[in-house]
Amino acid sequence: MQNKPYAESCDQNRDVILSVIKPLLALSYSVLEIGSGTGQHALYFSHKLPHLTWQTSDRNENIGGIKLWLSDSAQTLPEPIELDVNNNPWPDIDCDAVFTANTCHIMNQDSVVAMFSGIGKLLSDGGQFIIYGPFNYNQRYTSQSNEHFDQWLKSRDPESGIKHFEELNHLAALSNMHLTNDFEMPANNRILHWVKRGD
Ligand SMILES: C[S@@+](CC[C@H](N)C(=O)[O-])C[C@H]1O[C@@H](n2cnc3c(N)ncnc32)[C@H](O)[C@@H]1O
């Protein structure tokens, strides 16, 4: 039998992320999570934010693990959806918010472009996009540990790496998503929050 995958980082960062996204999502009804990984964040956030439908998604290789987490839980979440941001068309998902954690630095630049474009098409006016992770500003790392992390990422996959805030914000603007918040988070991470306005 397959063992449930486990990401320790999810247990470490879930409460600080929750403290930021809780007010942002207070009036939302349905969240699409991109790159859900193990599904641990999804279970925790949907437990703490019971007014939301939390739709997990990821590339095919992670769907089995997410299903194991969801089936072991007393909570009822929709089945995970296979979504690789590079594959079009995206599944037709009814949501007014998109959340993703720790995905941009794993993706190559083309995938990041595809992610922003796909989210731009999915969200209607007023829809929100929230990203958690490390980002560079003014072409600089925000810490030495992020620089080391970036070097480690690139040693595994030269196309991966920490992305630049300014480039992400430009991609968001191309899809009519406007930066509303940029929160400083522990361990040199950020939460970026855009709202779609004016198609
Ligand atoms: C470091 S893990 C983060 C998982 C989880 N969100 C977390 O914070 O623990 C990166 C995730 O990005 C997903 N990912 C990478 N490339 C992707 C793509 N092209 N489309 C969708 N998800 C992708 C991976 O499958 C993986 O689940």
Side-chain angles (χ1 to χ4, degrees):
M1 207 173 81
Q2 195 187 341
N3 284 332
K4 267 194 323 191
Y6 172 69
E8 193 178 352
S9 57
C10 286
D11 286 346
Q12 290 163 347
N13 60 28
R14 62 187 193 176
D15 282 309
V16 289
I17 297 176
L18 179 69
S19 69
V20 171
I21 67 173
K22 188 174 179 176
L24 302 181
L25 295 173
L27 299 178
S28 299
Y29 68 91
S30 178
V31 176
L32 167 67
E33 181 180 10
I34 294 178
S36 297
T38 60
Q40 287 166 258
H41 275 154
L43 275 174
Y44 190 68
F45 297 148
S46 64
H47 173 62
K48 295 288 184 180
L49 305 169
H51 65 289
L52 287 174
T53 299
W54 196 281
Q55 176 65 64
T56 52
S57 78
D58 209 317
R59 295 185 294 189
N60 179 269
E61 68 225 45
N62 288 331
I63 297 294
I66 298 170
K67 281 186 175 170
L68 288 177
W69 274 92
L70 298 194
S71 63
D72 259 9
S73 163
Q75 296 166 241
T76 309
L77 272 70
E79 285 287 292
I81 291 176
E82 187 178 334
L83 172 59
D84 182 319
V85 296
N86 296 300
N87 294 345
N88 285 311
W90 283 24
D92 189 19
I93 299 154
D94 177 23
C95 66
D96 57 357
V98 176
F99 171 81
T100 193
N102 291 317
T103 50
C104 280
H105 58 268
I106 301 298
M107 293 181 184
N108 63 28
Q109 184 63 19
D110 286 350
S111 300
V112 173
V113 170
M115 179 165 73
F116 275 80
S117 163
I119 292 167
K121 288 178 195 142
L122 195 66
L123 289 177
S124 305
D125 235 25
Q128 311 182 73
F129 178 30
I130 302 169
I131 302 189
Y132 169 85
F135 305 101
N136 292 338
Y137 290 76
N138 301 312
Q139 303 293 323
R140 288 170 190 270
Y141 298 105
T142 59
S143 66
Q144 209 174 40
S145 64
N146 277 5
E147 182 171 359
H148 292 155
F149 182 48
D150 192 48
Q151 286 161 356
W152 177 77
L153 287 166
K154 290 190 165 92
S155 70
R156 295 162 68 232
D157 173 3
E159 292 197 1
S160 69
I162 296 179
K163 303 297 183 291
H164 298 283
F165 161 77
E166 293 81 3
E167 286 179 18
L168 301 184
N169 201 30
H170 174 66
L171 292 175
L174 293 177
S175 289
N176 288 330
M177 295 190 286
H178 302 271
L179 188 75
T180 310
N181 291 289
D182 176 356
F183 298 94
E184 186 173 357
M185 303 296 289
N188 306 301
N189 288 300
R190 318 282 305 186
I191 286 181
L192 306 177
H193 173 226
W194 290 275
V195 176
K196 186 163 179 197
R197 276 191 223 113
D199 265 325

